[in-house]
């Protein structure tokens, strides 16, 4: 029979380890960071080690050594992936070298005592590598890791001074390795939670940077599209003035002819003024969410791209297989921007096609509105398809690689919908699914 206190102590340790594993596994599923996976595997093998170490089950001792070996390997991977900074410093002076050498001696001493105290190599390895990373990269901001290693250093130093292990063993308490497992699991769980906050802040900064780059790209695109839209009316105005000048020089300029040409010039100027208004309305940011007509939002994008479509001789068709007054909830201009980006993507893919064609089909079911945008362009390889919505991925020489990433961000975050890309026999199809308004 096992002592109830020992069973309880091991039970608490098992529970803490299982909670640590579950906590980390959930974060890995959502964030896909290597250090979460490495830590999770390290703790799984650590749990296997402590189960065999407890001798509650008849498991050959060799499996304990195997668990220890794998836990150590994943501890090394975790430490390197967790910090993601160079471990080898560059010394600018002898003074710096001497300071770092003194720190290194202190690190080795505390790590040695850490191992002698708890006698579990994987945790000592993590402590050692993270301690080195903090010392060698202290200027880069390492707060969560710094708190962890400095805290353990003071604990180890204090326990060494009071000869804690000797007193603990003499008192006949439960095995000290259980204390190590429990403390390390709790500390690492808090450290990983802090790391998650850091990653979240990094992602926010990253998205803000992408949005800033997108705004710059939009400014360039807006000027380019205005130039396309204005080119024809400017040509028309030039012809009108040339005709008036020719008639005047020949002495044939009559009032009715002048009035006719004046009206034609005024129409061209009004068209140019309306173009500016359309572009201003399209690119003016709005954060007021409301129910809006999908057809109107799509037509806004088509108005902006009208000149580009004509220049590239693209045959574009918009077909509603549902009510043309279908509505969705969100920001109309954001949805227009999504449509514009996808159509521009198709136009660029059609640059070498003899008969370029884009089809926009709108469907709906009992709860969702589905917009499909397809082209007969060059398409994309199956190998590149999973990267299509990743930031900075582009197949164009002069591309930024942020357009489709922002499209996905808008659809998922602002409209709570989904977007996917589907290769066709010839070309590519984007499928947007958004909950419709009733």
């Amino acid at each position: 029979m096992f002592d109830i206190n020992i069973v309880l102590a091991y039970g608490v340790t098992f529970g803490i380890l299982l909670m640590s594993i579950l906590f980390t596994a959930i974060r890995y599923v959502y964030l896909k960071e290597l250090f979460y996976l490495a830590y999770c595997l390290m703790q799984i093998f650590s749990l296997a080690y402590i189960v065999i170490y407890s001798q509650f089950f008849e498991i050959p001792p060799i499996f304990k050594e195997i668990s220890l070996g794998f836990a150590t390997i994943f501890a090394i991977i975790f430490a390197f992936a967790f910090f993601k900074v160079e471990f080898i410093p560059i010394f600018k002076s002898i003074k710096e070298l001497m300071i770092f050498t003194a720190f290194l001696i202190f690190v080795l001493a505390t790590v040695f005592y850490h191992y002698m105290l708890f006698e579990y190599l994987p945790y000592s390895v993590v402590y050692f590598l993270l301690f080195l990373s903090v010392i060698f990269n202290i200027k880069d901001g390492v707060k969560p890791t710094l708190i962890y290693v400095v805290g353990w250093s003071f604990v180890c130093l204090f326990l060494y001074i009071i000869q804690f292990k000797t007193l603990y063993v003499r008192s006949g308490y439960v095995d000290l390795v259980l204390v190590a497992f429990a403390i390390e699991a709790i500390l690492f769980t808090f450290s990983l939670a802090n790391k998650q906050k850091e990653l979240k802040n990094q992602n926010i900064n990253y998205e803000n940077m992408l949005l800033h780059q997108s705004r710059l790209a939009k400014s360039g695109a807006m000027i380019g599209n205005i130039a396309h839209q204005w080119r024809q009316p400017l040509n028309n105005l030039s012809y009108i003035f040339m005709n008036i000048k020719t008639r005047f020089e020949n002495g044939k300029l009559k009032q009715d002819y002048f009035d006719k040409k004046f009206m034609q010039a005024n129409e061209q100027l009004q068209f140019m003024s309306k173009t500016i208004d359309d572009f201003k309305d399209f690119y003016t940011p709005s954060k007021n969410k409301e129910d809006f007509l999908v057809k109107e939002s799509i037509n806004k994008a088509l108005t902006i791209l009208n000149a580009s479509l004509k220049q590239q001789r693209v045959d574009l068709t918009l077909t509603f297989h549902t009510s043309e007054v279908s509505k969705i909830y969100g920001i109309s201009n954001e949805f227009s921007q999504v449509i514009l980006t996808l159509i521009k993507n198709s136009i660029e893919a059609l640059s070498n096609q003899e008969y370029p064609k884009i089809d926009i089909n709108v469907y709906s079911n009992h709860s969702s509105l589905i917009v499909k945008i397809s082209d007969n362009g060059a398409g994309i390889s199956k190998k590149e398809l999973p990267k299509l919505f990743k930031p900075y991925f582009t197949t164009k020489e002069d591309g930024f690689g942020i357009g489709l990433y922002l499209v996905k961000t808008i659809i998922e975050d602002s409209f709570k919908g989904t977007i996917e890309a589907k290769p066709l026999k010839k070309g590519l199809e984007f499928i947007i699914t958004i909950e419709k308004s009733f």
Side-chain angles (χ1 to χ4, degrees):
M1 294 291 292
F2 294 103
D3 187 294
I4 187 64
N5 292 326
I6 294 175
V7 173
L8 183 62
Y10 274 100
V12 170
T13 303
F14 294 163
I16 291 173
L17 280 170
L18 283 171
M19 288 176 63
S20 177
I21 291 167
L22 182 62
F23 173 89
T24 312
I26 291 171
R27 274 150 182 77
Y28 174 70
V29 169
Y30 282 101
L31 299 175
K32 300 296 182 185
E33 290 285 345
L34 175 62
F35 65 83
Y36 282 119
L37 178 61
Y39 176 76
C40 192
L41 291 171
M42 178 186 75
Q43 292 294 64
I44 288 172
F45 282 106
S46 295
L47 179 61
Y49 175 89
I50 202 69
V51 166
I52 301 168
Y53 182 87
S54 69
Q55 298 181 348
F56 290 161
F57 309 96
E58 294 183 3
I59 302 173
I62 184 65
F63 289 105
K64 185 176 75 171
E65 302 305 320
I66 292 172
S67 298
L68 180 64
F70 278 108
T72 304
I73 291 170
F74 287 114
I76 295 170
I77 296 172
F78 164 72
F80 277 93
F82 182 76
F83 200 78
K84 292 184 178 176
V85 179
E86 295 295 331
F87 278 82
I88 301 175
I90 298 174
F91 302 113
K92 297 179 180 178
S93 66
I94 300 213
K95 181 181 176 182
E96 234 178 50
L97 176 60
M98 292 177 67
I99 292 172
F100 277 109
T101 303
F103 272 118
L104 183 59
I105 293 169
F106 177 72
V107 170
L108 291 172
T110 52
V111 169
F112 175 75
Y113 184 69
H114 184 281
Y115 177 72
M116 295 302 294
L117 187 66
F118 300 117
E119 298 180 10
Y120 189 64
L121 183 62
Y123 291 162
S124 295
V125 166
V126 171
Y127 174 56
F128 174 64
L129 292 176
L130 290 184
F131 206 148
L132 281 183
S133 67
V134 167
I135 291 173
F136 293 159
N137 303 279
I138 193 68
K139 295 177 182 179
D140 296 322
V142 289
K143 187 177 178 181
T145 315
L146 180 64
I147 293 171
Y148 168 79
V149 296
V150 170
W152 257 123
S153 298
F154 279 111
V155 168
C156 287
L157 187 61
F158 175 74
L159 296 180
Y160 174 76
I161 292 171
I162 67 171
Q163 293 295 302
F164 173 78
K165 187 169 184 178
T166 303
L167 296 172
Y168 189 92
V169 172
R170 284 178 183 173
S171 300
Y173 295 126
V174 295
D175 201 323
L176 194 57
V177 73
L178 295 181
V179 178
F181 274 74
I183 293 176
E184 289 286 345
I186 293 169
L187 285 175
F188 276 132
T189 300
F190 280 111
S191 295
L192 290 172
N194 283 326
K195 190 70 172 180
Q196 184 181 0
K197 289 181 182 178
E198 280 190 357
L199 290 173
K200 186 176 180 181
N201 291 333
Q202 286 175 8
N203 287 336
I204 291 172
N205 293 335
Y206 185 58
E207 287 188 1
N208 288 337
M209 180 189 69
L210 288 178
L211 287 171
H212 176 68
Q213 291 180 341
S214 175
R215 290 190 187 102
L216 294 176
K218 282 180 186 177
S219 299
M222 179 176 69
I223 294 169
N225 285 322
I226 290 174
H228 280 306
Q229 296 280 52
W230 276 17
R231 188 166 286 117
Q232 188 58 45
L234 285 172
N235 285 337
N236 293 341
L237 283 171
S238 177
Y239 288 130
I240 290 169
F241 292 141
M242 285 174 62
N243 289 336
I244 292 174
K245 182 175 182 291
T246 301
R247 287 281 184 119
F248 178 77
E249 288 176 345
N250 294 334
K252 297 180 180 179
L253 182 60
K254 296 182 179 179
Q255 185 66 42
D256 59 342
Y257 183 82
F258 177 81
D259 291 340
K260 176 184 174 183
K261 291 299 178 182
F262 176 82
M263 290 294 294
Q264 289 177 353
N266 193 48
E267 287 175 2
Q268 298 300 316
L269 290 171
Q270 287 180 357
F271 173 81
M272 293 169 73
S273 177
K274 185 177 182 301
T275 299
I276 288 294
D277 289 337
D278 289 341
F279 276 82
K280 183 186 70 173
D281 292 341
F282 184 83
Y283 286 103
T284 299
S286 171
K287 290 299 175 186
N288 297 321
K289 289 191 173 186
E290 59 185 359
D291 293 330
F292 63 87
L293 291 169
V294 173
K295 185 176 183 180
E296 283 187 3
S297 187
I298 293 174
N299 282 332
K300 277 186 191 176
L302 297 182
T303 299
I304 300 299
L305 290 170
N306 183 53
S308 296
L309 290 166
K310 287 182 177 179
Q311 186 183 42
Q312 299 292 331
R313 298 176 293 103
V314 176
D315 178 18
L316 186 144
T317 59
L318 171 60
T319 308
F320 274 76
H321 303 274
T322 184
S323 171
E324 293 193 4
V325 293
S326 296
K327 293 183 178 182
I328 57 177
Y329 180 75
I331 300 172
S332 177
N333 275 9
E334 285 190 350
F335 190 74
S336 296
Q337 186 63 51
V338 166
I339 300 299
L340 181 141
T341 301
L342 295 178
I343 294 175
K344 278 182 64 179
N345 191 79
S346 292
I347 291 173
E348 290 166 358
L350 291 166
S351 58
N352 297 319
Q353 297 300 316
E354 187 176 358
Y355 302 105
K357 183 172 177 59
I358 297 174
D359 291 315
I360 305 175
N361 292 283
V362 183
Y363 305 86
S364 70
N365 54 33
H366 65 284
S367 62
S368 301
L369 191 95
I370 301 124
V371 179
K372 296 184 177 182
I373 301 175
S374 59
D375 61 64
N376 62 340
I380 191 170
S381 68
K382 290 183 178 179
K383 182 180 179 181
E384 293 176 328
L385 188 63
K387 306 175 189 175
L388 194 59
F389 294 104
K390 299 289 184 182
Y392 296 118
F393 171 77
T394 179
T395 56
K396 301 183 285 288
E397 291 183 4
D398 57 347
F400 291 99
I402 58 176
L404 292 180
Y405 169 77
L406 290 174
V407 161
K408 183 178 175 67
T409 301
I410 291 170
I411 292 297
E412 292 181 349
D413 294 350
S414 184
F415 290 94
K416 309 303 179 187
T418 61
I419 182 169
E420 60 178 314
K422 177 183 174 184
L424 305 174
K425 287 185 178 179
K426 186 171 180 58
L428 186 67
E429 181 177 63
F430 290 99
I431 304 168
I432 301 170
T433 305
I434 299 174
E435 183 179 348
K436 65 182 180 181
S437 300
F438 293 97

